[in-house]
Amino acid sequence: MGRIIGIDLGTTNSVCAYMDRNEPKIVINEEGGRITPSVVGFTKVGERFVGDIAKRQMLINPEATIHSVKRLMGRTFREAREGIRLVDYRVTAGPGGECLVDVAGRSYTPQEVSAMILQKIKKSAEDFLGEAVTEAVITVPAYFTDRQRQATRDAGTIAGLNVLRIINEPTAAALAYVHERGRASTIAVYDWGGGTFDISLLDVDRDVAEVRATRGNNALGGADIDDRIVEWLIDRFRSEHTIDVREDKIVMQRLRDAAERAKLELSAAPSTEVHLPFLVSDQHGPRHLQATLTRAAFEALAEPLFQKTIEECRKVLADAKIDPRDIDEVIMVGGSSRIPRVQQLVRELFGKALNKTFNPDEVVAIGAAIQGGMLEGEIKSVTLLDVTNFSLGIEIQGRRFAPLIPKNTTIPAQKSQLVSTVVDNQRTVKIHVLQGESLDARENVSLGEFELQDIQPGPRGVPRITVRFAIDANGIVNVSAKDQRSGVEHEISIDAPHGMSRVELERARDEASQQARVEEESKELKKLRQEVEQELVKLETFLRDRRGLLPKQDIFELEQALKRGRMALVKASADMKNLQSLLGYLQRFHAHLAEKVRQQARTH
């Protein structure tokens, strides 16, 4: 087993970490940063780029720039449209109702887009560590459904990673806490990132981390706070200039960028200036936006969102039957946890100072790396006891939901239940697997369904069919059904019903691998062209400075070499082999002429 990396695949930013002996360390990406924006951009000719470059493109070409794709993972188009604000790029419904992202003349699944981000992280890790990386631990929000977890695993597969474990983000933060502190305590992990919110309560000791309960909201993140500021800016601009800019996507992206910067500045300053010159132009000329946003006004705008997180905290305390005073420490995770008002509300709820010793942006990736180190056997193993985030069960007569594995059950877990037929001589039973808390089956998330066929006929209610649920350490569900009389059995691993099939996954992985090779060759070709260009400039300078010292034949040959080089650079068809041969020739010719000039200088 090679080195295992830990990846926090975030809505806004992603972070990668690894274990160096017994210490977790952050991977520095190709741009020299510790954080990689979870953004993918495309050019008009179909080239793609990930990270900081793509994020900069959002301001000028938002329709060809994909961000916040984590919010679409494992969701149907209807769920995404109803639950979150859809973004500037085009999101459509696929043949099965799944989300598709339409950009650069083709459609991508959210898994494929996430795989592009993971490929970037994988490449950065390989360059940083100097070795191939094929295995990873990837974190997900604690309140991700089974479909969303499957989609995350699929994204890793497409990116060429063997995803050894999917773990919850708050649980990863708790692992970092155990690794750092190693003392018995009951902790709360308040995790508010760019797209999701989680709150988890855990009992931790030197060699165990047991989740007591978890709650969350997959459609509540820092982006929603930004939206409140954007609406405030739109209203200010409209009241001053009577212009509504909502339909201008470039203007809206400028507003969102300004809103995010204002939010960050207000964590340290009592007020901030938002200045956007030349926001729009009309018959009266350019229109500018100038506004002052105070921290008090910002807190008033976002207070309903802050209170939603506090309400989830109260619910998780009730689920675990824990008094806030019984919590020893509160660990703040995610960028939005830096907001002063958020910290004040959390302090008031739990009645104690907050643990700020961890970097909120990096602690989850560090925990994932520690989990990887445990799997490698590099560090002492910690028993990790996580819980189910939703109840799991089946649909029964009357479209009712029958939970088999209740919410907050420690995993891995399994449970069996007997069901029967509803009509006489029924030969087939359909098993509809659901995840959620509502007694109405239609209000829960469908994980999939299958049929148990050729059961032994009999009067209604007589056949005995055992339905067995099993959920593994990754939170992935397996379901089987067996007719006790005939012995007929059927078992499935629940895949996302609106996700990618195994064939589609393999196709996407092969395509991603091929695209990565093409992009790597393209980078090498660009680098080679630059080297040829640099050598040509050196030769031109040499000719200009030494023309009087060179024989006419050498001058002629040098001019021909320069002409050949320039012609090669303008040819789009110039390949690696030809350019490498040309570069070698130019370097040798340059060295030959330089030596001639040196010999002439010595003889004189």
Side-chain angles (χ1 to χ4, degrees):
M1 180 182 290
R3 196 188 297 259
I4 302 171
I5 58 174
I7 301 174
D8 174 11
L9 181 61
T11 307
T12 307
N13 298 299
S14 295
V15 184
C16 179
Y18 69 102
M19 294 302 296
D20 183 9
R21 297 179 176 87
N22 199 40
E23 290 300 318
K25 293 185 178 179
I26 299 297
V27 168
I28 307 302
N29 63 25
E30 294 165 291
E31 293 74 33
R34 298 168 70 88
I35 292 174
T36 300
S38 302
V39 185
V40 180
F42 293 84
T43 65
K44 291 181 180 179
V45 294
E47 289 184 312
R48 78 177 188 213
F49 34 88
V50 180
D52 292 293
I53 300 176
K55 186 175 181 180
R56 289 194 291 271
Q57 178 183 272
M58 281 200 298
L59 290 173
I60 57 174
N61 193 7
E63 291 181 301
T65 311
I66 305 173
H67 61 93
S68 303
V69 75
K70 183 175 177 178
R71 286 188 149 191
L72 303 178
M73 293 279 280
R75 290 176 178 264
T76 65
F77 179 74
R78 181 181 60 81
E79 290 169 343
R81 185 176 55 193
E82 293 175 357
I84 59 175
R85 171 186 62 80
L86 292 184
V87 281
D88 296 320
Y89 50 86
R90 190 162 178 255
V91 181
T92 59
E98 71 276 14
C99 285
L100 292 177
V101 177
D102 294 341
V103 64
R106 62 159 289 181
S107 295
Y108 296 92
T109 65
Q111 295 95 308
E112 290 175 299
V113 178
S114 292
M116 297 173 193
I117 300 167
L118 289 172
Q119 276 185 318
K120 160 80 171 177
I121 294 170
K122 179 178 183 288
K123 177 68 165 52
S124 294
E126 290 176 333
D127 291 345
F128 186 77
L129 297 172
E131 61 185 75
V133 172
T134 58
E135 295 171 317
V137 173
I138 302 179
T139 64
V140 295
Y143 234 55
F144 252 25
T145 65
D146 183 79
R147 288 197 331 225
Q148 291 170 305
R149 292 168 190 272
Q150 290 278 10
T152 303
R153 179 181 287 280
D154 289 348
T157 300
I158 295 169
L161 289 167
N162 178 20
V163 183
L164 299 177
R165 188 66 54 88
I166 298 285
I167 65 171
N168 292 338
E169 290 164 5
T171 308
L175 277 178
Y177 176 92
V178 172
H179 183 76
E180 189 75 20
R181 302 299 174 84
R183 66 169 182 263
S185 55
T186 300
I187 66 172
V189 180
Y190 179 100
D191 183 1
W192 200 5
T196 59
F197 171 74
D198 290 315
I199 175 71
S200 294
L201 306 180
L202 304 96
D203 290 330
V204 299
D205 206 338
R206 289 182 181 274
D207 56 359
V208 66
E210 180 179 4
V211 180
R212 296 277 295 274
T214 187
R215 281 267 182 176
N217 187 330
N218 289 337
L220 178 62
D224 301 290
I225 301 174
D226 298 345
D227 284 345
R228 296 295 176 101
I229 302 175
V230 168
E231 287 299 318
W232 181 80
L233 292 172
I234 289 172
D235 291 341
R236 288 290 299 266
F237 190 76
R238 184 173 53 193
S239 64
E240 183 176 351
H241 300 292
T242 65
I243 299 174
D244 191 334
V245 297
R246 283 184 174 85
E247 298 304 315
D248 191 321
K249 292 183 177 180
I250 293 179
V251 170
M252 288 297 292
Q253 188 54 53
R254 289 186 67 189
L255 290 174
R256 291 192 190 103
D257 183 66
E260 183 182 15
R261 282 188 280 107
K263 177 185 67 178
L264 297 176
E265 290 170 7
L266 288 171
S267 290
S271 65
T272 184
E273 290 291 325
V274 178
H275 180 48
L276 295 175
F278 304 98
L279 190 63
V280 296
S281 295
D282 61 9
Q283 65 271 25
H284 302 294
R287 303 288 188 167
H288 316 296
L289 173 61
Q290 181 81 36
T292 300
L293 180 61
T294 65
R295 182 184 289 179
F298 163 68
E299 291 174 351
L301 289 171
E303 185 69 15
L305 303 179
F306 301 160
Q307 290 297 337
K308 283 185 178 181
T309 71
I310 298 303
E311 183 58 31
E312 293 296 333
C313 292
R314 292 194 179 98
K315 289 178 180 177
V316 81
L317 288 165
D319 290 344
K321 299 180 175 59
I322 296 178
D323 188 278
R325 293 168 295 184
D326 295 331
I327 300 295
D328 297 305
E329 290 195 70
V330 181
I331 299 174
M332 304 297 282
V333 178
S336 300
S337 71
R338 289 189 171 96
I339 298 172
R341 174 59 177 162
V342 168
Q343 296 183 355
Q344 177 190 351
L345 290 170
V346 176
R347 274 196 307 269
E348 290 173 353
L349 175 63
F350 290 98
K352 50 182 58 68
L354 308 178
N355 184 329
K356 299 182 185 178
T357 58
F358 296 98
N359 184 324
D361 298 322
E362 299 177 356
V363 64
V364 170
I366 285 173
I370 292 170
Q371 173 71 79
M374 288 158 48
L375 294 173
E376 286 178 308
E378 184 175 335
I379 62 174
K380 180 182 177 182
S381 181
V382 174
T383 301
L384 185 59
L385 301 174
D386 217 328
V387 298
T388 57
N389 48 358
F390 295 97
S391 296
L392 294 160
I394 58 175
E395 181 179 346
I396 59 175
Q397 190 177 11
R399 290 192 171 179
R400 291 176 294 135
F401 175 56
L404 271 69
I405 299 180
K407 176 183 176 177
N408 289 324
T409 297
T410 300
I411 57 175
Q414 60 182 24
K415 182 72 178 294
S416 298
Q417 180 167 315
L418 285 174
V419 298
S420 190
T421 53
V422 295
V423 297
D424 293 340
N425 298 317
Q426 187 174 330
R427 297 299 304 270
T428 300
V429 171
K430 180 179 287 186
I431 308 296
H432 186 194
V433 184
L434 299 165
Q435 186 176 49
E437 308 306 322
S438 175
L439 294 177
D440 186 342
R442 292 168 294 186
E443 295 180 2
N444 294 319
V445 175
S446 172
L447 298 184
E449 56 185 41
F450 64 95
E451 288 187 346
L452 183 64
Q453 300 178 342
D454 298 325
I455 64 175
Q456 189 168 328
R460 57 174 293 185
V462 171
R464 290 289 180 266
I465 299 161
T466 301
V467 178
R468 177 180 170 274
F469 266 64
I471 180 167
D472 65 18
N474 297 307
I476 306 298
V477 180
N478 288 271
V479 184
S480 64
K482 181 178 182 180
D483 178 14
Q484 295 298 322
R485 295 197 296 171
S486 67
V488 173
E489 185 173 6
H490 188 68
E491 181 175 355
I492 62 167
S493 176
I494 297 294
D495 291 322
H498 301 287
M500 303 177 71
S501 68
R502 295 300 103 186
V503 173
E504 290 171 330
L505 261 182
E506 290 176 8
R507 175 198 57 76
R509 182 179 58 193
D510 292 343
E511 185 177 303
S513 178
Q514 174 63 24
Q515 181 65 26
R517 285 195 295 270
V518 169
E519 289 178 359
E520 189 61 30
E521 289 173 2
S522 177
K523 286 182 182 179
E524 292 178 4
L525 187 61
K526 286 180 181 178
K527 182 180 178 182
L528 186 56
R529 292 175 72 90
Q530 289 172 353
E531 290 176 353
V532 171
E533 175 69 35
Q534 290 169 358
E535 190 60 39
L536 289 173
V537 171
K538 289 178 184 177
L539 280 170
E540 287 170 345
T541 304
F542 181 87
L543 177 61
R544 185 177 64 247
D545 296 342
R546 311 277 198 297
R547 180 180 285 271
L549 301 175
L550 295 172
K552 290 184 178 179
Q553 182 63 29
D554 287 344
I555 293 174
F556 174 76
E557 290 180 4
L558 181 51
E559 288 175 340
Q560 290 299 309
L562 289 170
K563 182 178 179 181
R564 176 186 167 193
R566 290 297 175 194
M567 289 181 63
L569 286 181
V570 298
K571 287 183 179 179
S573 59
D575 59 19
M576 290 282 293
K577 186 176 179 180
N578 289 334
L579 286 176
Q580 285 171 340
S581 175
L582 174 63
L583 179 61
Y585 165 74
L586 293 175
Q587 290 172 336
R588 290 191 299 272
F589 189 42
H590 189 177
H592 169 69
L593 293 179
E595 180 60 27
K596 261 192 173 184
V597 171
R598 281 194 295 270
Q599 288 178 356
Q600 288 180 2
R602 282 197 296 268
T603 58
H604 290 82

